Amino acid sequence: MLPSPIEVMQAFVSELPLLLENSVITLQEAFIGLFLGVSVGFCAAVLMDTFDILYKAFYPLLIITQTIPSVAIAPLLVLWFGYEMTPKIVLIVISTFFPVTVGLLDGFRSADKDAIGLLRSMGAGCLQIFRYIKFPSALPQLFSGLRIAAAYSVVGAVISEWLGGFGGLGVYMTRVKKAFAFDKMFAVIFLISAISLALMALVGFTEKKCMPYRNIDNKGEKI
Amino acid sequence: MNKLEVKNISKSFDGNRVLNDISIELNQGELVCLLGVSGGGKTTLFNIISGLLSPDNGQVLLDGKDITNQPGHTSYMLQKDLLLPYRTIEDNAALPLLLKGEKKKEARMQVSPLFEQFGLEGTQKKYPAQLSGGMRQRAALLRTYMFSKDVALLDEPFSALDTITKSSMHKWYLSVMEQIQLSTLFITHDIDEAILISDRIYLLSGSLGEITGEIIIKEPKPRRDDFNLTEEFLEYKRKILSLL
Ligand SMILES: Nc1ncnc2c1ncn2[C@@H]1O[C@H](COP(=O)(O)OP(=O)(O)OP(=O)(O)O)[C@@H](O)[C@H]1O
Ligand SMILES: [Mg+2]
């Protein structure tokens, strides 16, 4: 029932071509879904930050959408959108936009009011205040949200593949499950978590590149 | 004509009168100081003049034109340095130019020759967190200077500087004012500083929110180096202390 690490390694190596083939499909879904989810999340945050009415109207709704487990809506999505890529991407969008929206909203609100006053005193308009104060102030929270969203995107892709599809690591998983191939099962589980970790590391790397001023310690020296 | 005229400004916060019927004026090329206790409403008055805050009553006139509630007409250096932590010093200083729509490269080229004059050489590529308090203040002053309106509002611009740096900054600032036809209204807690560089001083009473005195410093400019050791200087100081 519990394969030894060596068996898992062997399964991993022997199944590598298949695993890679399926990873490409899963990653493709994850990336498209993540990209759309982040875009939707970004727009939602900007709109809700700009118009307080939208914030009051939609924020509670947003929270409610998050209390619905994605495993529960995935079958519905399959019924509505079929077995192709669409239901997978919709599910990923639903699960990734939320951490981005919430992070950004928090970040926009953390912007220094006096700094906004300073820009206004120099005659800056709304867009300039957004570009020079609000957006850069929200970068740390945006990246925290992105890191969570990146992990969700892979998990979301796999879950939606379980419920129907023609390829991907989720489909592969259901197949090896039916064959009781525990070694392959573990191999694919490790692969999925490795992919999630790699994606999160990529976000972390981008974060460092985007915010060089954060690499300064409190003595003012660059690390 | 007065460069800047503040007429009958009143302002309350939640029923607390902070400014009560304040009228002050600033003539072309003048340096006028606003002196008052902490919490007396000096910053509030600047926020109103700069158009960030709307007064309950009264008007702000620049060259005779009403600019009440209109930001963007004066160069305002706020009490906090407000350097943006995520921009380098040169990009902070260039911000007013970027807001006017200039290209980043050109804006940097315009600010970089001024770094030496402001005692900031070598800090162009640093971030605000890497600078000392005094350097940050000078960087904020440089940014204010880049906005280049002909009226400057400076809220305690030199408070983080040591005495020696302060007096060289004073000299420098007075010469810049002359060169570019600048008129300055400025806030300080430092009575000596006020007497040393002002043409006139308004005293703002904290409890009443009113101007309780106006002192004209007759000593001609540029002032001699030992002006602060003279009997006249002490006389001004005594007068101010008695009125505060
Ligand atoms: N936005 C605000 N809302 C409510 N009260 C305010 C606001 N801004 C200022 N005040 C109050 O108005 C009074 C004057 O504040 P202000 O900042 O103008 O004082 P100040 O003379 O600049 O003091 P300091 O010398 O310490 O900077 C204070 O009692 C302050 O609490
Ligand atoms: Mg103040």
Side-chain angles (χ1 to χ4, degrees), chain A residues 43-174:
Chain A
C43 295
V46 171
L47 284 173
M48 282 173 22
D49 186 66
T50 318
F51 305 104
D52 208 40
I53 291 192
L54 291 183
Y55 181 84
K56 289 199 179 109
F58 287 109
Y59 197 72
L61 272 179
L62 264 183
I63 307 271
I64 291 171
T65 63
Q66 293 310 300
T67 59
I68 305 169
S70 41
V71 197
I73 37 173
L76 256 184
L77 294 175
V78 172
L79 288 180
W80 284 337
F81 301 110
Y83 291 93
E84 300 290 337
M85 225 184 218
T86 322
K88 285 135 193 141
I89 287 172
V90 172
L91 187 84
I92 297 171
V93 170
I94 291 176
S95 49
T96 54
F97 85 97
F98 183 74
V100 173
T101 305
V102 171
L104 273 176
L105 273 176
D106 256 9
F108 290 154
R109 266 145 215 258
S110 76
D112 188 341
K113 300 277 171 303
D114 292 322
I116 293 174
L118 170 80
L119 257 77
R120 281 184 52 219
S121 84
M122 298 195 284
C126 285
L127 272 178
Q128 288 179 319
I129 288 174
F130 181 79
R131 171 168 174 199
Y132 290 110
I133 308 279
K134 287 208 159 180
F135 183 66
S137 307
L139 272 182
Q141 287 92 335
L142 171 64
F143 275 106
S144 310
L146 271 181
R147 213 169 300 174
I148 300 172
Y152 281 8
S153 69
V154 179
V155 175
V158 171
I159 290 181
S160 58
E161 285 164 359
W162 282 350
L163 298 158
F166 305 114
L169 291 174
V171 173
Y172 176 87
M173 257 175 133
T174 42

Side-chain angles (χ1 to χ4, degrees), chain B residues 3 7 10 21 31 56 83 95 123 130 136 141 145-146 152 164-165 175-176 183 189 201 236:
Chain B
K3 189 72 200 163
K7 276 169 131 178
S10 300
D21 201 24
L31 195 157
D56 298 341
L83 295 171
L95 193 59
T123 62
Q130 295 170 291
R136 292 167 61 110
L141 193 60
Y145 176 83
M146 294 317 295
I164 298 165
T165 318
S175 72
V176 166
S183 318
H189 285 137
I201 300 174
Y236 284 125

Side-chain angles (χ1 to χ4, degrees), chain B residues 29-208:
Chain B
E30 236 186 348
L31 195 157
V32 171
C33 176
L34 214 55
L35 201 62
V37 293
S38 183
K42 306 180 293 296
T43 299
T44 306
L45 184 59
F46 270 25
N47 285 341
I48 290 171
I49 297 175
S50 64
L52 293 182
L53 193 68
S54 66
D56 298 341
N57 273 309
Q59 276 187 312
V60 182
L61 305 175
L62 181 72
D63 294 319
K65 276 198 298 277
D66 192 346
I67 58 155
T68 324
N69 293 326
Q70 290 175 26
H73 292 283
T74 50
S75 301
Y76 182 15
M77 174 175 169
L78 284 82
Q79 192 162 5
K80 290 197 260 170
D81 62 60
L82 295 176
L83 295 171
L84 306 177
Y86 39 82
R87 298 179 79 85
T88 57
I89 300 300
E90 73 178 343
D91 288 346
N92 263 291
L95 193 59
L97 302 173
L98 297 177
L99 292 177
K100 281 179 198 159
E102 290 200 35
K103 294 264 175 306
K104 200 165 187 173
K105 224 172 155 188
E106 285 155 31
R108 281 181 182 167
M109 257 157 55
Q110 285 185 53
V111 292
S112 72
L114 293 162
F115 269 71
E116 201 186 330
Q117 215 171 21
F118 279 76
L120 289 167
E121 57 275 54
T123 62
Q124 276 92 330
K125 303 280 177 213
K126 292 200 168 170
Y127 287 97
Q130 295 170 291
L131 264 58
S132 73
M135 287 163 107
R136 292 167 61 110
Q137 214 168 30
R138 274 175 283 165
L141 193 60
L142 172 56
R143 182 187 54 200
T144 313
Y145 176 83
M146 294 317 295
F147 192 52
S148 58
K149 296 285 164 184
D150 46 13
V151 170
L153 307 173
L154 309 181
D155 197 343
E156 304 189 25
F158 308 122
S159 61
L161 302 180
D162 61 280
T163 330
I164 298 165
T165 318
K166 210 182 215 178
S167 88
S168 73
M169 284 300 284
H170 286 161
K171 282 212 186 85
W172 169 82
Y173 190 77
L174 292 172
S175 72
V176 166
M177 272 187 68
E178 211 160 313
Q179 274 169 37
I180 62 171
Q181 299 277 302
L182 191 65
S183 318
T184 305
L185 199 57
F186 106 105
I187 293 175
T188 181
H189 285 137
D190 182 344
I191 299 178
D192 289 23
E193 179 179 41
I195 303 172
L196 272 174
I197 63 173
S198 312
D199 297 298
R200 276 186 301 129
I201 300 174
Y202 285 111
L203 302 174
L204 190 68
S205 140
S207 48
L208 301 171

